[in-house]
Amino acid sequence: MWGPRDDAPPQTRPAPLVDPFQRAITYLRLSVTDRCDFRCAYCMAEDMQFLPKRDLLTLEELDRLCAVFVARGVRKLRITGGEPLVRRDILQLFRRLSRHLTSGALDELTLTTNGSQLARFAPELADLGVRRINVSLDTLDPEKFRAITRRGDLATVLGGIEAAQAAGIRVKLNAVALKGVNEDEIAPMLVWAHERGMDLTLIEVMPLGEIEGDRTDQFLPLSVARARLQERFTLTPLPDRTGGPARYVRVEETGGRLGFITPLTHNFCESCNRVRLTCTGKLYMCLGQEDAADLRAALRASPDDALVTQAVIDAIARKPKGHDFVIERARPAAVPRHMSVTGG
């Protein structure tokens, strides 16, 4: 049952989470499901075996875990999946988490989505305090979109983006740069996004999970993509940070921002302030490492939060300095779990 929780006010909160390299952990990415209504070719296998629903934490348990992290200094909470909006009754979780915005304990509650359900959920998400979201969109070509996602409909996603913007939510687009697939679309997508008031962030393909193809065939270094863009646009580096790993430039010709996430050609670990929590209660201190802490047992062992809080503290104490993504070694994958397990 949902019940009241006595979240400590900011002035009485205990010590924040700090890892062995003196990085404060202020950002939690929570995957509420490993399921998705798409099967993007670089992310999932065609025939995915998803977790049994009985293995998932309840929404109440996810809320309780988030409260533990917020009490320990997490200021930003991103809901991810899979596709988070396909989780049944997901808005109940957003309703509960929004209390941390009201209290001032949380600066931002946001999500990453494929956009397929946005038209349905955007108005209430906005009412609950969601001010910006990331939408994964790799192409503006309907046929290519269907090929990449294996089942998605571009028009539905574009309608969801429009609904989010109409509700007052700022949208940032995330596009995975795929060699021979969408590399010729990067410049047109940049212009299209900026004309509609959206940032665009480019992401290198990551070697997580086994897929049918070889990721060395998909990998496009963003250093190459950036050099090509600089033949057409003036890119001015910006100090802007949004709590994640992107490095930003301003595109002078459009006035918009362009981000680069480069886990392979230039890792972003030195300033890492985030951890990832799965829908089964596993806490991954690093996206590119397999070490994880199982918080579910501690969570269910006691009605109070002492055990699970200590489990979190112990886990952060072994957060590594960085990941070890190397695309040439990623056969079949550098890390066997799919991105949908840990959250994008």
Side-chain angles (χ1 to χ4, degrees):
M1 293 290 293
W2 297 100
R5 296 192 57 82
D6 295 324
D7 299 311
Q11 65 270 22
T12 62
R13 281 192 201 130
L17 299 167
V18 178
D19 76 4
F21 305 95
Q22 300 306 302
R23 297 171 297 194
I25 306 305
T26 59
Y27 182 5
L28 175 66
R29 301 176 70 105
L30 171 65
S31 175
V32 296
T33 179
D34 68 326
R35 295 173 184 266
C36 186
D37 48 353
F38 292 175
R39 298 289 185 275
C40 293
Y42 56 81
C43 179
M44 291 184 173
E46 175 72 52
D47 185 21
M48 285 291 294
Q49 299 298 313
F50 293 114
L51 293 167
K53 292 183 179 179
R54 65 179 179 273
D55 289 352
L56 274 60
L57 295 181
T58 66
L59 295 177
E60 294 89 340
E61 289 173 323
L62 293 174
D63 171 62
R64 183 179 161 196
L65 282 175
C66 288
V68 168
F69 280 93
V70 171
R72 285 284 175 167
V74 162
R75 304 291 304 178
K76 177 177 178 178
L77 179 58
R78 179 177 296 278
I79 306 301
T80 70
E83 169 47 47
L85 297 181
V86 301
R87 170 104 190 224
R88 186 176 180 182
D89 297 326
I90 187 60
L91 283 186
Q92 289 188 21
L93 181 61
F94 276 94
R95 290 186 195 107
R96 290 292 297 169
L97 295 176
S98 67
R99 76 190 185 278
H100 300 300
L101 295 172
T102 303
S103 72
L106 198 63
D107 293 331
E108 184 174 37
L109 174 62
T110 184
L111 77 151
T112 295
T113 174
N114 64 25
S116 66
Q117 309 296 315
L118 261 183
R120 174 184 170 194
F121 288 112
E124 188 161 1
L125 287 170
D127 288 343
L128 293 172
V130 175
R131 297 290 173 256
R132 68 183 185 99
I133 61 174
N134 291 357
V135 177
S136 300
L137 182 66
D138 302 318
T139 178
L140 294 172
D141 181 305
E143 292 184 7
K144 196 180 294 184
F145 183 87
R146 171 72 70 168
I148 291 173
T149 64
R150 295 192 178 111
R151 58 194 65 186
D153 177 65
L154 179 63
T156 299
V157 172
L158 297 183
I161 291 172
E162 291 178 3
Q165 290 186 308
I169 298 174
R170 288 188 293 120
V171 177
K172 178 172 77 71
L173 300 182
N174 287 341
V176 176
L178 300 167
K179 184 170 66 175
V181 177
N182 65 353
E183 56 185 309
D184 60 336
E185 286 191 75
I186 291 174
M189 279 192 69
L190 181 156
V191 173
W192 182 87
H194 289 179
E195 286 177 346
R196 289 158 180 78
M198 295 181 284
D199 292 345
L200 173 67
T201 292
L202 303 176
I203 306 172
E204 288 177 337
V205 65
M206 299 187 200
L208 277 78
E210 295 185 26
I211 60 173
E212 284 82 2
D214 185 339
R215 285 194 177 90
T216 55
D217 295 332
Q218 300 175 336
F219 177 55
L220 176 66
L222 289 189
S223 55
V224 172
R226 182 168 180 160
R228 291 174 183 170
L229 288 172
Q230 286 176 317
E231 294 174 0
R232 175 175 172 183
F233 301 105
T234 305
L235 307 182
T236 302
L238 294 170
D240 302 13
R241 301 300 298 273
T242 60
R247 301 297 191 274
Y248 289 96
V249 299
R250 181 173 60 249
V251 181
E252 299 297 345
E253 288 77 4
T254 66
R257 283 197 313 180
L258 174 65
F260 297 91
I261 296 180
T262 53
L264 287 115
T265 58
H266 178 266
N267 76 51
F268 37 73
C269 303
E270 68 278 359
S271 60
C272 183
N273 64 341
R274 69 206 73 93
V275 289
R276 289 169 167 83
L277 182 63
T278 76
C279 55
T280 61
K282 282 191 174 182
L283 180 66
Y284 285 92
M285 285 66 76
C286 175
L287 179 63
Q289 303 282 356
E290 277 292 82
D291 182 36
D294 186 358
L295 302 185
R296 180 169 57 185
L299 183 74
R300 294 178 175 176
S302 173
D304 67 50
D305 293 334
L307 287 177
V308 71
T309 298
Q310 190 59 51
V312 170
I313 293 170
D314 293 344
I316 300 302
R318 63 177 195 264
K319 182 174 169 63
K321 189 172 184 179
H323 64 245
D324 186 30
F325 287 151
V326 180
I327 196 73
E328 290 80 5
R329 292 208 306 265
R331 296 179 180 176
V335 175
R337 69 180 185 278
H338 286 86
M339 177 69 85
S340 62
V341 172
T342 332

